[in-house]
Amino acid sequence: MKEGNEKDWIDRLMHDMKKLEDAHQAEAPRQYELMHTLTQFKRQRKKAWMRELAIFIFTALIILATYFVVSLRVPVVFLWVQIIAFIAIPIIYTAEKKRRRSLSEVLDDGF
């Protein structure tokens, strides 16, 4: 009787293990799913590249304008630019950090 009980228990265990294996079979992604994911990634990278290019051009223009103001020796304008930058940079940094967190991007804080 003990052998029958043991065999029954092993059969149930094997049956349950088979159920677990069948439930966790991962399907290989189809070609159109891979292409869609790749296209979406490329679109996001292009959008990020355009945004970074715009920020770069904007920063270059600000540096050029600052150089122009300093070369004309207009200290009041230079001080206003410094004050505005001192206020705006933390705001821009926190907004960009929040945007990246919402998109689940990898953050590189430099630490």
Side-chain angles (χ1 to χ4, degrees), residues 50-62:
M50 292 299 284
R51 184 178 56 248
E52 290 170 5
L53 180 64
I55 290 171
F56 173 77
I57 291 172
F58 182 70
T59 304
L61 289 175
I62 288 176

Side-chain angles (χ1 to χ4, degrees), residues 11-71:
D11 288 341
R12 279 189 284 140
L13 177 66
M14 295 302 284
H15 180 68
D16 290 341
M17 293 296 280
K18 180 72 173 153
K19 275 186 185 178
L20 282 174
E21 286 178 6
D22 291 342
H24 294 288
Q25 290 294 328
E27 285 188 30
R30 294 185 169 55
Q31 182 179 3
Y32 70 88
E33 292 171 338
L34 289 174
M35 293 305 292
H36 175 70
T37 305
L38 181 63
T39 305
Q40 186 178 12
F41 176 76
K42 284 182 178 180
R43 191 177 322 120
Q44 288 174 347
R45 289 307 313 153
K46 185 176 182 180
K47 187 176 178 182
W49 185 82
M50 292 299 284
R51 184 178 56 248
E52 290 170 5
L53 180 64
I55 290 171
F56 173 77
I57 291 172
F58 182 70
T59 304
L61 289 175
I62 288 176
I63 290 171
L64 184 64
T66 304
Y67 179 73
F68 183 69
V69 166
V70 169
S71 69

Side-chain angles (χ1 to χ4, degrees), residues 66-109:
T66 304
Y67 179 73
F68 183 69
V69 166
V70 169
S71 69
L72 291 178
R73 298 171 201 237
V74 185
V76 175
V77 175
F78 182 71
L79 286 174
W80 276 108
V81 167
Q82 292 297 317
I83 291 169
I84 291 171
F86 187 72
I87 294 169
I89 287 175
I91 295 169
I92 292 170
Y93 178 75
T94 54
E96 183 69 14
K97 196 170 185 180
K98 184 183 283 187
R99 185 193 63 79
R100 284 189 178 190
R101 279 208 176 111
S102 69
L103 294 175
S104 300
E105 288 186 16
V106 175
L107 295 176
D108 182 18
D109 290 335

